[in-house]
Amino acid sequence: MPDPHGTRDCVVALDVGGTGMKGALLDRALTPLAVLRRPTPRRDGPDAVVAAITGALRDLAAQAADRRLTVRHAGTVVPGIVDEEAGRAVYSANIGWSDLPLAALLRDASDLPVTLGHDVRAGGLAECRTGAARGARDALFVPVGTGISAAVLCEGRVVRGLGYAGELGHAVVEPDGDPCACGGRGCLETVASAAAIEAAYAARSGRAVDGAAGVARLVAQGDPVAVAVWDRAVDALAAALATFTTLLAPGLIVIGGGLAQAGGLLLDPLRARLGERLTFQRRPEVVRAELGDEAGCLGAGILAWQAAGVEPAFREPAFREPAFREPVTAGAAAP
């Protein structure tokens, strides 16, 4: 029986990325009661990834049983094209599945009620409910990392588009630009993603660099090649955001992902160049995300509570980073 006061109830939340999985048991305030981090075995194929997800869900459920907690629901969020209503993982180039009835597979394998969601839309939901976009009705959440995607909040609702909404990384910013993995050319991801920034610096300078973070450090030092690569990326991102702003007029744009760790080095010129491109349009505020790489897991928890018919009781702070750093089991591997 569920606890009528919810004090011993929890949900299982799991964010599955192309590299690692982040899971937690979350109470109604989204406070982590137990946590889990493991690698995603994508190189072993989609079946191995499904098995790993199932194992993570089972392990978190076992932790709940050990603590005498009642699991009300489980939320699992994954990358790629996700049809939440049908519970299907439609496509993921990184993981390799196609038109997979993932929610049903996980329910059968884990004996848990499972709701499936999209990792970036879930992260955007978390930022809107308890992060940098609290109270916003029209917002855009853009995590910029190895790839670029977006979660669109319009009139207080997350736009899904049957799973296809928010693919900002495949907006064309350089029509004659580099080929993209999606089959197009000159997509935003080919210019402004962390992977593209690293590759562009190496190609122009002939020197290897420690990721986009390494390029950012060189920008701060005034390295001319790094500055040129960074400026190109910022211009491309501003162009894509200007188009989005013209179409949907967000009041707020939240930048997350690894590149947001550059702080003002990214956000200050991005704000300026976006402003230069706008004339009559509503001018959005551009801010850094607050929830870090735990946004997807928290979003999965929100989806799970909602699927259980319960609205999370948000409080400040809903996110406590140190608690998420503790593995749920001593043998859990790092992503």
Side-chain angles (χ1 to χ4, degrees), residues 46-324:
D47 290 344
V49 174
V50 173
I53 295 171
T54 301
L57 293 174
R58 286 175 173 170
D59 286 350
L60 284 165
Q63 282 286 312
D66 289 344
R67 295 164 184 250
R68 298 184 180 180
L69 299 170
T70 299
V71 174
R72 296 290 301 276
H73 211 88
T76 299
V77 300
V78 298
I81 306 300
V82 180
D83 185 341
E84 289 99 328
E85 292 183 8
R88 302 186 79 86
V90 177
Y91 175 74
S92 173
N94 283 338
I95 295 179
W97 53 43
S98 178
D99 198 26
L100 188 70
L102 186 55
L105 291 174
L106 295 177
R107 289 187 201 111
D108 292 343
S110 68
D111 292 325
L112 291 169
V114 177
T115 290
L116 185 68
H118 181 260
D119 57 350
V120 173
R121 284 193 287 276
L125 177 63
E127 288 285 352
C128 288
R129 294 299 183 87
T130 188
R134 286 185 299 275
R137 288 188 57 79
D138 299 289
L140 183 69
F141 170 59
V142 185
V144 184
T146 303
I148 301 174
S149 188
V152 181
L153 183 77
C154 189
E155 296 295 330
R157 301 184 65 179
V158 177
V159 178
R160 294 177 176 175
L162 294 179
Y164 289 84
E167 291 296 332
L168 187 69
H170 299 289
V172 176
V173 292
E174 294 183 351
D176 298 321
D178 295 334
C180 179
C182 75
R185 297 188 71 91
C187 294
L188 180 62
E189 278 192 9
T190 69
V191 180
S193 68
I197 289 171
E198 177 184 7
Y201 180 82
R204 292 191 184 195
S205 69
R207 301 189 301 273
V209 66
D210 183 19
V215 178
R217 287 191 292 271
L218 291 170
V219 171
Q221 296 167 12
D223 181 295
V225 176
V227 169
V229 168
W230 196 262
D231 283 350
R232 176 177 174 241
V234 172
D235 282 340
L237 190 54
L241 293 178
T243 298
F244 179 89
T245 298
T246 302
L247 291 173
L248 290 177
L252 185 69
I253 296 175
V254 179
I255 305 296
L259 217 62
Q261 301 304 311
L265 194 68
L266 173 68
L267 296 182
D268 290 345
L270 180 60
R271 291 183 186 110
R273 293 178 201 184
L274 175 59
E276 290 167 1
R277 291 175 176 271
L278 302 178
T279 55
F280 68 90
Q281 298 92 333
R282 179 187 189 185
R283 291 178 175 258
E285 183 181 3
V286 179
V287 301
R288 180 176 166 180
E290 290 183 2
L291 302 180
D293 69 349
E294 313 303 343
C297 187
L298 291 172
I302 294 172
L303 294 176
W305 277 117
Q306 290 176 337
V310 178
E311 194 64 29
F314 301 114
R315 70 185 186 196
E316 299 286 352
F319 170 64
R320 297 179 179 180
E321 184 171 353
F324 271 90

